Amino acid sequence: MNATNAQQRGTRSADAGIVGRGSREAARLMRKWFSSLTEAACEDKKAAFVFVMGNMNEVLRCFDMPIVFPEVTALQTAVRGTSEGYLKEAEDYGFSPDVCGYVKADIAMHLRGGEHPMGLIPKPSIVVTTNACNTYFKWAEIWERLYQAPVVTIDIPNQRAARLKSMPGDKDFQFELAYVVQQVNELIAACERVTGRKFDIDKFREHLRHANMMSRYWKMLLALNERTPAVFNALTDGLAYLGMANCFRATEEGAIYFKELYEEMEYRSKHGIGALTKKDGKDVPVEQRFRLGLMGVPCYPIFRGFSEFFSDWGGVFVMSSYLKFASGGTALGYEFNLDNPIESFAEGSLLTVRETQTGLLFNFPDIEDHLSPYHLDGIVYHGVKSCRTASAGLADRRYHSSELLGLPTLLLESDIVDPRAVSKAQMKNRTDAFFEGLISRQQRAAVS
Ligand code: SF4
């Protein structure tokens, strides 16, 4: 056997173990998370309800409460094709068609006693919300009314205007930090009251350590997609990673998941194995002709079809704003100082939630900037009826990218959970026209 054959054979046998491992493991862990919620519901255990933007997992895990992410459970009703029934039930109950679909899917689920396509969801015994989305407050008030669950609101000072933010060391930052530290202490006291347990600072340090490892690998993982081929699709694979980044944040399993995921992706990057898709039951690399950025959230009611609008033309999403604002605190790769855990946790929360809010209001430099390291061929803006927080201003931002960055852009509109607001044929027509434009642009560039 010559050296090349040996190398190829070695690579192939190594591929079999490592390639696709992250997707398989994410599916296993997600099932495990839902099973733990079902178990908690059946045993009537106390659960904490939190949102992805500013989820305070590190504190909550010190009290061993199951943690429910209502945005994750709501989106799963759409991915599993059951959201319409939930939405109609909530509307019959009195919720307006205008209300965020996540809220309605969740409330109908509670009206059904926690019945979810992946199992049973327990009731909240404490609710933690931040000001990252205004809907969070009203959503939390519904659980407060239904279950008399105490609500703790973490109010994170936002950036005052584009390019005007306080930084560690500034006087303003010190005031803002003191304000968040106080709120973290109040959250700890509330958890102690609800669970009857004392806060353990060493346990807290341990959770911070796991969160640090996750953030470190998350940042390195996102940077791998700056290379060609992109090793993951920010739309499809990204959803699985976000599930892990939130539901397993501050746990050893979550930290190891991201370490091993990074190892797989680095291996694939080295061997030129790009983002994968399923064909005839097998994982095969997708053709990568166009590198795209996604602004907004995916269309879950037709999740696979939505992704195929792009992959059928060789479009791969190398980066999305969703991977930043919904990554549960990993967005900046911030690492906590274990010698000063409470203040450092408050500082990390302040910086990451603020970054999330800034990205939603102003711009995502990784995507909407001349200096984006992702070498984009185009940007897709997806506005959704449910979520004004992520959709407001997208049309203006699209105009900015087309005019000032000179990038081809596409604006699509549908919804995150409501299939009644999704016009598949219309979206496909617009996507096809977008790619025809990209191809003719490439052809013009080739002859000039
Ligand atoms: S409005 Fe948007 S960010 Fe807010 S809860 Fe609904 S989906 Fe989430």
Side-chain angles (χ1 to χ4, degrees), residues 102-131:
Y102 277 2
V103 177
K104 286 187 291 186
D106 175 73
I107 296 310
M109 187 202 69
H110 286 285
L111 294 175
R112 290 186 195 179
E115 182 196 307
H116 186 277
M118 297 285 284
L120 267 181
I121 307 301
K123 295 169 188 154
S125 45
I126 185 167
V127 175
V128 184
T129 169
T130 63
N131 57 328

mmCIF file of all heavy atoms in Angstrom, residues 102-131:
data_model
loop_
_atom_site.group_PDB
_atom_site.id
_atom_site.type_symbol
_atom_site.label_atom_id
_atom_site.label_comp_id
_atom_site.label_asym_id
_atom_site.label_seq_id
_atom_site.Cartn_x
_atom_site.Cartn_y
_atom_site.Cartn_z
ATOM 1 N N TYR A 102 -44.568 32.381 19.582
ATOM 2 C CA TYR A 102 -43.955 31.560 20.642
ATOM 3 C C TYR A 102 -44.827 31.602 21.892
ATOM 4 O O TYR A 102 -45.034 30.590 22.556
ATOM 5 C CB TYR A 102 -42.558 32.100 20.995
ATOM 6 C CG TYR A 102 -41.423 31.656 20.106
ATOM 7 C CD1 TYR A 102 -41.638 30.839 19.001
ATOM 8 C CD2 TYR A 102 -40.110 32.047 20.389
ATOM 9 C CE1 TYR A 102 -40.593 30.436 18.195
ATOM 10 C CE2 TYR A 102 -39.054 31.640 19.597
ATOM 11 C CZ TYR A 102 -39.288 30.846 18.498
ATOM 12 O OH TYR A 102 -38.243 30.442 17.713
ATOM 13 N N VAL A 103 -45.322 32.806 22.219
ATOM 14 C CA VAL A 103 -46.147 32.960 23.427
ATOM 15 C C VAL A 103 -47.403 32.109 23.289
ATOM 16 O O VAL A 103 -47.767 31.356 24.188
ATOM 17 C CB VAL A 103 -46.526 34.445 23.638
ATOM 18 C CG1 VAL A 103 -47.432 34.607 24.843
ATOM 19 C CG2 VAL A 103 -45.282 35.311 23.790
ATOM 20 N N LYS A 104 -48.033 32.207 22.105
ATOM 21 C CA LYS A 104 -49.298 31.497 21.931
ATOM 22 C C LYS A 104 -49.105 29.976 21.932
ATOM 23 O O LYS A 104 -49.888 29.245 22.534
ATOM 24 C CB LYS A 104 -49.971 31.959 20.633
ATOM 25 C CG LYS A 104 -50.560 33.360 20.771
ATOM 26 C CD LYS A 104 -51.365 33.774 19.566
ATOM 27 C CE LYS A 104 -50.488 33.991 18.359
ATOM 28 N NZ LYS A 104 -51.202 34.515 17.205
ATOM 29 N N ALA A 105 -48.040 29.508 21.272
ATOM 30 C CA ALA A 105 -47.785 28.054 21.275
ATOM 31 C C ALA A 105 -47.557 27.584 22.707
ATOM 32 O O ALA A 105 -48.042 26.525 23.126
ATOM 33 C CB ALA A 105 -46.573 27.737 20.404
ATOM 34 N N ASP A 106 -46.828 28.398 23.467
ATOM 35 C CA ASP A 106 -46.519 28.023 24.854
ATOM 36 C C ASP A 106 -47.777 28.020 25.725
ATOM 37 O O ASP A 106 -48.007 27.083 26.496
ATOM 38 C CB ASP A 106 -45.479 29.011 25.408
ATOM 39 C CG ASP A 106 -45.182 28.771 26.868
ATOM 40 O OD1 ASP A 106 -44.498 27.772 27.167
ATOM 41 O OD2 ASP A 106 -45.660 29.542 27.716
ATOM 42 N N ILE A 107 -48.580 29.059 25.594
ATOM 43 C CA ILE A 107 -49.761 29.156 26.468
ATOM 44 C C ILE A 107 -50.741 28.017 26.171
ATOM 45 O O ILE A 107 -51.283 27.401 27.087
ATOM 46 C CB ILE A 107 -50.459 30.538 26.301
ATOM 47 C CG1 ILE A 107 -49.493 31.648 26.773
ATOM 48 C CG2 ILE A 107 -51.779 30.599 27.052
ATOM 49 C CD1 ILE A 107 -48.865 31.441 28.138
ATOM 50 N N ALA A 108 -50.927 27.710 24.877
ATOM 51 C CA ALA A 108 -51.831 26.599 24.547
ATOM 52 C C ALA A 108 -51.292 25.296 25.136
ATOM 53 O O ALA A 108 -52.052 24.446 25.605
ATOM 54 C CB ALA A 108 -51.984 26.489 23.038
ATOM 55 N N MET A 109 -49.960 25.162 25.130
ATOM 56 C CA MET A 109 -49.361 23.958 25.717
ATOM 57 C C MET A 109 -49.697 23.884 27.215
ATOM 58 O O MET A 109 -50.037 22.822 27.732
ATOM 59 C CB MET A 109 -47.850 24.007 25.486
ATOM 60 C CG MET A 109 -47.144 22.759 25.885
ATOM 61 S SD MET A 109 -45.440 23.138 26.180
ATOM 62 C CE MET A 109 -45.519 24.132 27.646
ATOM 63 N N HIS A 110 -49.623 25.023 27.902
ATOM 64 C CA HIS A 110 -49.968 25.024 29.331
ATOM 65 C C HIS A 110 -51.453 24.727 29.535
ATOM 66 O O HIS A 110 -51.827 24.026 30.476
ATOM 67 C CB HIS A 110 -49.602 26.369 29.977
ATOM 68 C CG HIS A 110 -48.125 26.524 30.179
ATOM 69 N ND1 HIS A 110 -47.442 25.865 31.160
ATOM 70 C CD2 HIS A 110 -47.193 27.230 29.490
ATOM 71 C CE1 HIS A 110 -46.156 26.164 31.082
ATOM 72 N NE2 HIS A 110 -45.973 26.997 30.069
ATOM 73 N N LEU A 111 -52.284 25.260 28.618
ATOM 74 C CA LEU A 111 -53.719 24.983 28.748
ATOM 75 C C LEU A 111 -54.006 23.497 28.572
ATOM 76 O O LEU A 111 -54.984 22.975 29.086
ATOM 77 C CB LEU A 111 -54.512 25.803 27.709
ATOM 78 C CG LEU A 111 -54.474 27.331 27.899
ATOM 79 C CD1 LEU A 111 -55.177 28.040 26.748
ATOM 80 C CD2 LEU A 111 -55.099 27.730 29.237
ATOM 81 N N ARG A 112 -53.088 22.821 27.841
ATOM 82 C CA ARG A 112 -53.246 21.363 27.676
ATOM 83 C C ARG A 112 -52.524 20.584 28.782
ATOM 84 O O ARG A 112 -52.217 19.406 28.623
ATOM 85 C CB ARG A 112 -52.637 20.922 26.338
ATOM 86 C CG ARG A 112 -53.387 21.367 25.119
ATOM 87 C CD ARG A 112 -52.741 20.722 23.893
ATOM 88 N NE ARG A 112 -53.172 21.345 22.655
ATOM 89 C CZ ARG A 112 -52.727 20.958 21.451
ATOM 90 N NH1 ARG A 112 -51.846 19.972 21.350
ATOM 91 N NH2 ARG A 112 -53.145 21.553 20.367
ATOM 92 N N GLY A 113 -52.145 21.262 29.841
ATOM 93 C CA GLY A 113 -51.493 20.565 30.966
ATOM 94 C C GLY A 113 -50.041 20.215 30.691
ATOM 95 O O GLY A 113 -49.518 19.245 31.259
ATOM 96 N N GLY A 114 -49.374 20.993 29.808
ATOM 97 C CA GLY A 114 -47.942 20.767 29.550
ATOM 98 C C GLY A 114 -47.676 19.775 28.427
ATOM 99 O O GLY A 114 -46.517 19.398 28.181
ATOM 100 N N GLU A 115 -48.710 19.413 27.692
ATOM 101 C CA GLU A 115 -48.550 18.396 26.635
ATOM 102 C C GLU A 115 -47.775 18.996 25.442
ATOM 103 O O GLU A 115 -48.182 20.015 24.878
ATOM 104 C CB GLU A 115 -49.961 17.982 26.201
ATOM 105 C CG GLU A 115 -50.029 16.902 25.161
ATOM 106 C CD GLU A 115 -51.432 16.881 24.552
ATOM 107 O OE1 GLU A 115 -52.419 16.806 25.323
ATOM 108 O OE2 GLU A 115 -51.520 16.977 23.324
ATOM 109 N N HIS A 116 -46.675 18.341 25.110
ATOM 110 C CA HIS A 116 -45.778 18.816 24.042
ATOM 111 C C HIS A 116 -45.410 17.626 23.156
ATOM 112 O O HIS A 116 -45.355 16.496 23.656
ATOM 113 C CB HIS A 116 -44.509 19.410 24.701
ATOM 114 C CG HIS A 116 -43.579 20.067 23.746
ATOM 115 N ND1 HIS A 116 -42.650 19.358 23.009
ATOM 116 C CD2 HIS A 116 -43.422 21.375 23.383
ATOM 117 C CE1 HIS A 116 -41.979 20.207 22.240
ATOM 118 N NE2 HIS A 116 -42.424 21.427 22.449
ATOM 119 N N PRO A 117 -45.162 17.864 21.850
ATOM 120 C CA PRO A 117 -44.833 16.710 20.995
ATOM 121 C C PRO A 117 -43.593 15.922 21.447
ATOM 122 O O PRO A 117 -43.430 14.758 21.077
ATOM 123 C CB PRO A 117 -44.607 17.325 19.605
ATOM 124 C CG PRO A 117 -44.662 18.799 19.774
ATOM 125 C CD PRO A 117 -45.323 19.093 21.073
ATOM 126 N N MET A 118 -42.740 16.530 22.264
ATOM 127 C CA MET A 118 -41.545 15.814 22.731
ATOM 128 C C MET A 118 -41.710 15.299 24.164
ATOM 129 O O MET A 118 -40.757 14.802 24.753
ATOM 130 C CB MET A 118 -40.323 16.748 22.694
ATOM 131 C CG MET A 118 -39.933 17.248 21.321
ATOM 132 S SD MET A 118 -39.111 15.983 20.361
ATOM 133 C CE MET A 118 -37.476 15.959 21.106
ATOM 134 N N GLY A 119 -42.872 15.459 24.765
ATOM 135 C CA GLY A 119 -43.054 14.970 26.139
ATOM 136 C C GLY A 119 -43.955 15.894 26.925
ATOM 137 O O GLY A 119 -44.878 16.495 26.373
ATOM 138 N N LEU A 120 -43.659 16.012 28.220
ATOM 139 C CA LEU A 120 -44.458 16.882 29.093
ATOM 140 C C LEU A 120 -43.572 18.001 29.623
ATOM 141 O O LEU A 120 -42.405 17.761 29.944
ATOM 142 C CB LEU A 120 -44.955 16.083 30.303
ATOM 143 C CG LEU A 120 -46.323 15.419 30.240
ATOM 144 C CD1 LEU A 120 -46.599 14.718 31.573
ATOM 145 C CD2 LEU A 120 -47.445 16.412 29.931
ATOM 146 N N ILE A 121 -44.123 19.193 29.753
ATOM 147 C CA ILE A 121 -43.332 20.329 30.258
ATOM 148 C C ILE A 121 -43.815 20.656 31.672
ATOM 149 O O ILE A 121 -45.032 20.786 31.893
ATOM 150 C CB ILE A 121 -43.499 21.570 29.337
ATOM 151 C CG1 ILE A 121 -43.179 21.200 27.868
ATOM 152 C CG2 ILE A 121 -42.607 22.733 29.807
ATOM 153 C CD1 ILE A 121 -41.796 20.667 27.586
ATOM 154 N N PRO A 122 -42.880 20.765 32.643
ATOM 155 C CA PRO A 122 -43.310 21.045 34.020
ATOM 156 C C PRO A 122 -43.802 22.479 34.179
ATOM 157 O O PRO A 122 -43.628 23.320 33.298
ATOM 158 C CB PRO A 122 -42.030 20.822 34.842
ATOM 159 C CG PRO A 122 -40.915 21.025 33.890
ATOM 160 C CD PRO A 122 -41.421 20.652 32.530
ATOM 161 N N LYS A 123 -44.361 22.752 35.353
ATOM 162 C CA LYS A 123 -44.840 24.117 35.635
ATOM 163 C C LYS A 123 -43.694 24.936 36.228
ATOM 164 O O LYS A 123 -42.814 24.375 36.876
ATOM 165 C CB LYS A 123 -45.976 24.048 36.663
ATOM 166 C CG LYS A 123 -47.192 23.331 36.146
ATOM 167 C CD LYS A 123 -48.164 23.059 37.277
ATOM 168 C CE LYS A 123 -49.287 22.167 36.766
ATOM 169 N NZ LYS A 123 -49.908 21.372 37.805
ATOM 170 N N PRO A 124 -43.742 26.255 36.052
ATOM 171 C CA PRO A 124 -42.661 27.067 36.641
ATOM 172 C C PRO A 124 -42.880 27.305 38.129
ATOM 173 O O PRO A 124 -44.002 27.526 38.567
ATOM 174 C CB PRO A 124 -42.778 28.387 35.882
ATOM 175 C CG PRO A 124 -44.209 28.468 35.451
ATOM 176 C CD PRO A 124 -44.676 27.061 35.250
ATOM 177 N N SER A 125 -41.761 27.253 38.875
ATOM 178 C CA SER A 125 -41.867 27.685 40.273
ATOM 179 C C SER A 125 -41.116 28.993 40.453
ATOM 180 O O SER A 125 -41.246 29.651 41.477
ATOM 181 C CB SER A 125 -41.339 26.623 41.214
ATOM 182 O OG SER A 125 -40.138 26.139 40.732
ATOM 183 N N ILE A 126 -40.301 29.354 39.443
ATOM 184 C CA ILE A 126 -39.684 30.683 39.401
ATOM 185 C C ILE A 126 -39.471 31.036 37.923
ATOM 186 O O ILE A 126 -39.212 30.145 37.100
ATOM 187 C CB ILE A 126 -38.349 30.738 40.190
ATOM 188 C CG1 ILE A 126 -37.810 32.173 40.234
ATOM 189 C CG2 ILE A 126 -37.294 29.799 39.617
ATOM 190 C CD1 ILE A 126 -36.676 32.384 41.247
ATOM 191 N N VAL A 127 -39.608 32.309 37.617
ATOM 192 C CA VAL A 127 -39.445 32.776 36.233
ATOM 193 C C VAL A 127 -38.384 33.865 36.233
ATOM 194 O O VAL A 127 -38.413 34.759 37.078
ATOM 195 C CB VAL A 127 -40.777 33.365 35.711
ATOM 196 C CG1 VAL A 127 -40.586 33.952 34.321
ATOM 197 C CG2 VAL A 127 -41.883 32.319 35.721
ATOM 198 N N VAL A 128 -37.445 33.763 35.299
ATOM 199 C CA VAL A 128 -36.420 34.806 35.192
ATOM 200 C C VAL A 128 -36.520 35.426 33.801
ATOM 201 O O VAL A 128 -36.505 34.711 32.796
ATOM 202 C CB VAL A 128 -34.999 34.234 35.394
ATOM 203 C CG1 VAL A 128 -33.982 35.364 35.384
ATOM 204 C CG2 VAL A 128 -34.917 33.463 36.697
ATOM 205 N N THR A 129 -36.647 36.722 33.769
ATOM 206 C CA THR A 129 -36.711 37.395 32.473
ATOM 207 C C THR A 129 -35.694 38.533 32.429
ATOM 208 O O THR A 129 -35.298 39.059 33.474
ATOM 209 C CB THR A 129 -38.139 37.938 32.193
ATOM 210 O OG1 THR A 129 -38.092 38.787 31.053
ATOM 211 C CG2 THR A 129 -38.692 38.728 33.356
ATOM 212 N N THR A 130 -35.281 38.868 31.229
ATOM 213 C CA THR A 130 -34.448 40.065 31.052
ATOM 214 C C THR A 130 -35.212 41.032 30.155
ATOM 215 O O THR A 130 -36.278 40.693 29.623
ATOM 216 C CB THR A 130 -33.103 39.756 30.366
ATOM 217 O OG1 THR A 130 -33.379 39.272 29.052
ATOM 218 C CG2 THR A 130 -32.286 38.748 31.147
ATOM 219 N N ASN A 131 -34.633 42.197 29.961
ATOM 220 C CA ASN A 131 -35.268 43.199 29.103
ATOM 221 C C ASN A 131 -34.790 43.090 27.656
ATOM 222 O O ASN A 131 -34.968 44.008 26.875
ATOM 223 C CB ASN A 131 -34.973 44.615 29.632
ATOM 224 C CG ASN A 131 -33.479 44.877 29.746
ATOM 225 O OD1 ASN A 131 -32.711 43.952 30.012
ATOM 226 N ND2 ASN A 131 -33.051 46.112 29.556
#
